[in-house]
Amino acid sequence: MTSTLLPGNIVYGGSVTAQDGQNSRSLGQYVLDKYKSFGDRTMLVDAAKGVEYSASFMHKSIVRLAYILQKLGVKQNDVIGLSSENSVNFALAMFAGFAVGATVAPLNVTYSDREVDHAINLSKPKIIFASELTLDRVAKVASKNKFVKGIIAINGSSKNFKNIHDLKELMDNDKFKTPSEFTSPLANKNEDVALIVCSSGTTGLPKGVQITQLNVLTTLDSQLKPTEIPMEETTVLTVIPWFHAFGCLTLVIYTCMGSRLVFLLKFEENQFLSAIEKYRVMMAFMVPPLMVFLAKHPIVDKYDLSSLMVLLCGAAPLSRETEDQIKKRIGVPFIRQGYGLSEATLGVLVQNDDFCKPGSVGILKVGIYAKVIDPDTGRILGANERGELCFKGDAIMKGYIGDTKSTQTAIRDGWLHTGDIGYYDDDFEFFIVDRIKELIKYKGFQVPPAEIEALLLTHEKIKDAAVIGKPDEEAGELPLAFVVKQANVQLSENDVIQFVNELASPAKRLRGGVIFVEDIPKNPSGKILRRVLRDMLKKPKSKL
């Protein structure tokens, strides 16, 4: 499959030939039908517990939980919150939500009270599923928001909210006479929102990205094409958090394609490597820090990783050196990079056998249009000309929930403006070279500097602040703050770091440190000149 150039320098990835998803009555029905068709095939493997779950178990459990949700008052287009680490219950809650026609809003398990409050006020969930790790925090915040009518505890209990149901008790309760089949309500697939995922913007707190049922079903259809390895015979490993769009959509897409999905709660060196060895994992979803681990860590040599055929790396750029080291060390034949964003449902660009030049992020996926524009004039550029990447197609989000202004800024005439600078070459392979958005990429997480800056400015001893990413081989970038102190005050680097630690989730902590400066360089309109700050970072004498 190759891309074609349409009039006006528009690049097109070709048409989506499969129509199963788009023709189904709803995403929920599609999932139920797929799981039913896979019978007793193993679908999910909890590698930490060593427990395998069959498709028939999943189908039966999804049907039961969907029925229970309806009895608890969840209707089509209601919102269900989901705050949990990777677990079979995360999958069941999400798929049961889809089955009743509800919108599922995953919540980052590391969110602080402030961030949970912001996120649920975007999506307004009627019911929130919460794990033992997050239950107290979710219950505390939910008690102050009347739109939350109930919490379902995946495990554990809390005294912070009166209307808490225990998931196991619900599933075991004889009063719920579950039918063996469940018909998902007919959806308006182009309008009905399947997922609200939080995307870190550049202007402060996360925005709620609305991914429609059609977005997901089209993405599923675009995956259904011949590959080097039949997906229904493939064992796939993921350690990407499912509350993250990348992880969540991986769960949906690969189980619906019939793959056996091995998952981990979190990355732990021995567990990660032993899962590959024990389950003969053929394909793994990676982020650059995991790739660096495979390339350099001495422990890797103690495990048999010979089953690995494909490593798919996303979320941040991967260096050619790291890729070569892994191929030489482990012998993985295919290392593929891709490019995607929450606003485009998953990946829009991906490498394959024929298009995998060093440094590229591949070619357009089917169903996607692309153009590169001059950020200043909007003029559409040609091959090998650098500009802002814009994408169009049925995978592009509906918009940011409750934020018309940001939606209109991001999507213009149907085109999603990414804020990333790149180009395509004469073979239509794309390269990312910079980004207009100043997001810091920490271990695959998008950290908005503006949010940390706004937080720092609430400190009474801080006059001004700016945050940039400090390059780090393992993490990608570490948040680092330049701080201007108020006159005649005592304030240490540790004081600032602890202040942020207490109010922000782990990815946003100032692991890169704090540099005290006389002033923050800005342009005439007040925009922070981060390029100048990066130059200062290279000169240690700037630290006062």
Side-chain angles (χ1 to χ4, degrees):
M1 188 219 38
T2 57
S3 300
T4 54
L5 190 65
L6 302 179
N9 282 333
I10 306 295
V11 185
Y12 180 47
S15 57
V16 178
T17 52
Q19 297 288 317
D20 290 1
Q22 295 159 81
N23 290 338
S24 64
R25 65 184 283 116
S26 68
L27 173 60
Q29 195 63 50
Y30 183 89
V31 171
L32 285 169
D33 292 346
K34 281 289 182 185
Y35 272 54
K36 186 177 181 182
S37 73
F38 296 141
D40 291 324
R41 186 188 303 171
T42 300
M43 297 302 299
L44 289 174
V45 179
D46 184 332
K49 295 180 179 177
V51 181
E52 301 186 9
Y53 300 94
S54 69
S56 57
F57 165 83
M58 294 294 293
H59 180 267
K60 183 179 176 182
S61 301
I62 293 164
V63 166
R64 179 156 181 78
L65 186 51
Y67 180 77
I68 290 167
L69 286 175
Q70 285 187 332
K71 291 298 178 186
L72 292 175
V74 178
K75 302 186 295 295
Q76 187 174 16
N77 296 320
D78 280 345
V79 178
I80 291 170
L82 181 47
S83 179
S84 168
E85 317 87 281
N86 296 1
S87 73
V88 68
N89 288 327
F90 183 111
L92 292 177
M94 180 171 69
F95 290 134
F98 291 164
V100 298
T103 299
V104 178
L107 299 169
N108 187 323
V109 299
T110 70
Y111 273 171
S112 65
D113 291 8
R114 177 183 71 108
E115 292 163 321
V116 171
D117 188 63
H118 170 76
I120 69 172
N121 273 283
L122 286 176
S123 58
K124 301 281 195 299
K126 180 181 277 189
I127 282 179
I128 304 175
F129 285 84
S131 69
E132 191 171 12
L133 176 72
T134 66
L135 185 58
D136 270 339
R137 188 183 311 123
V138 166
K140 180 181 167 187
V141 174
S143 67
K144 299 169 187 172
N145 290 282
K146 291 182 179 178
F147 52 79
V148 181
K149 304 301 181 190
I151 291 174
I152 297 178
I154 287 173
N155 42 38
S157 60
S158 176
K159 296 173 183 175
N160 287 328
F161 196 83
K162 60 185 179 184
N163 197 11
I164 293 185
H165 311 274
D166 180 87
L167 179 61
K168 187 175 187 309
E169 288 178 10
L170 287 174
M171 294 294 275
D172 293 344
N173 195 323
D174 289 338
K175 80 174 184 181
F176 296 114
K177 304 295 183 187
T178 317
S180 58
E181 294 295 333
F182 188 94
T183 302
S184 184
L186 182 66
N188 179 346
K189 296 188 287 280
N190 204 28
E191 291 296 325
D192 291 354
V193 177
L195 290 163
I196 298 172
V197 292
C198 285
S199 171
S200 297
T202 53
T203 55
L205 285 160
K207 294 191 281 287
V209 176
Q210 298 178 97
I211 297 173
T212 67
Q213 294 195 24
L214 182 66
N215 291 157
V216 180
L217 290 164
T218 301
T219 302
L220 274 159
D221 284 341
S222 73
Q223 299 286 137
L224 296 175
K225 57 184 187 298
T227 55
E228 297 99 343
I229 311 163
M231 292 316 298
E232 65 273 12
E233 297 172 16
T234 303
T235 298
V236 180
L237 174 67
T238 183
V239 69
I240 313 290
W242 288 347
F243 60 72
H244 189 287
F246 183 13
C248 179
L249 288 156
T250 298
L251 166 61
V252 177
I253 288 162
Y254 282 85
T255 58
C256 283
M257 288 167 66
S259 302
R260 180 172 70 153
L261 190 65
V262 180
F263 67 87
L264 289 165
L265 202 69
K266 60 183 178 181
F267 176 72
E268 192 281 316
E269 294 169 357
N270 289 288
Q271 213 173 64
F272 177 78
L273 296 168
S274 65
I276 296 172
E277 180 178 272
K278 179 179 179 180
Y279 296 106
R280 305 299 294 160
V281 169
M282 301 165 75
M283 187 166 127
F285 287 95
M286 307 289 284
V287 290
L290 293 183
M291 298 294 273
V292 172
F293 164 75
L294 284 182
K296 298 188 173 182
H297 202 290
I299 197 176
V300 171
D301 293 326
K302 297 179 181 178
Y303 291 84
D304 176 9
L305 308 182
S306 60
S307 61
L308 277 176
M309 296 289 290
V310 185
L311 294 175
L312 291 170
C313 188
L318 176 70
S319 74
R320 182 66 179 183
E321 292 74 25
T322 300
E323 187 176 325
D324 289 341
Q325 283 174 315
I326 292 172
K327 284 185 174 178
K328 185 177 179 182
R329 186 180 196 186
I330 303 171
V332 181
F334 306 109
I335 293 178
R336 299 283 177 255
Q337 289 198 70
Y339 167 88
L341 52 171
S342 306
E343 289 87 345
T345 310
L346 196 59
V348 285
L349 298 164
V350 69
Q351 292 182 335
N352 62 28
D353 279 1
D354 301 316
F355 299 95
C356 51
K357 292 191 183 93
S360 93
V361 286
I363 60 170
L364 279 173
K365 290 179 70 173
V366 292
I368 301 293
Y369 297 83
K371 64 179 179 179
V372 179
I373 65 167
D374 183 312
D376 298 319
T377 66
R379 183 174 66 87
I380 301 177
L381 306 173
N384 303 302
E385 293 186 284
R386 297 182 176 196
E388 183 181 11
L389 299 178
C390 303
F391 298 98
K392 192 175 185 178
D394 286 337
I396 303 303
M397 68 166 181
K398 183 176 182 177
Y400 299 113
I401 190 164
D403 193 342
T404 304
K405 185 178 177 184
S406 293
T407 301
Q408 290 172 344
T409 300
I411 302 175
R412 285 168 255 163
D413 296 323
W415 288 95
L416 175 68
H417 290 245
T418 66
D420 287 317
I421 299 292
Y423 67 94
Y424 59 89
D425 66 12
D426 294 326
D427 298 315
F428 304 118
E429 272 196 73
F430 281 76
F431 297 78
I432 311 295
V433 294
D434 201 351
R435 55 184 182 265
I436 300 170
K437 295 177 181 178
E438 297 290 354
L439 292 174
I440 296 165
K441 293 287 185 80
Y442 171 75
K443 291 190 173 180
F445 287 93
Q446 295 185 335
V447 178
E451 184 181 342
I452 307 174
E453 288 158 2
L455 193 57
L456 288 169
L457 292 174
T458 66
H459 194 297
E460 59 183 10
K461 293 183 178 181
I462 294 176
K463 181 180 179 183
D464 203 359
V467 175
I468 63 169
K470 178 182 178 181
D472 180 81
E473 183 180 49
E474 185 184 346
E477 292 177 309
L478 302 173
L480 175 145
F482 289 85
V483 170
V484 180
K485 291 188 275 193
Q486 297 284 9
N488 306 313
V489 298
Q490 291 294 315
L491 184 68
S492 70
E493 178 178 19
N494 192 55
D495 291 339
V496 178
I497 289 170
Q498 287 304 317
F499 176 76
V500 174
N501 283 359
E502 290 169 14
L503 293 169
S505 47
K508 296 165 189 168
R509 291 174 184 171
L510 297 174
R511 288 180 169 83
V514 176
I515 296 175
F516 291 102
V517 292
E518 298 278 353
D519 54 55
I520 302 295
K522 297 178 182 177
N523 71 7
S525 66
K527 183 175 171 58
I528 294 168
L529 297 172
R530 297 183 202 276
R531 174 181 47 78
V532 175
L533 293 174
R534 291 190 188 99
D535 290 342
M536 289 169 63
L537 190 58
K538 296 171 188 174
K539 301 169 188 172
K541 66 181 181 181
S542 65
K543 187 162 184 171
L544 301 178

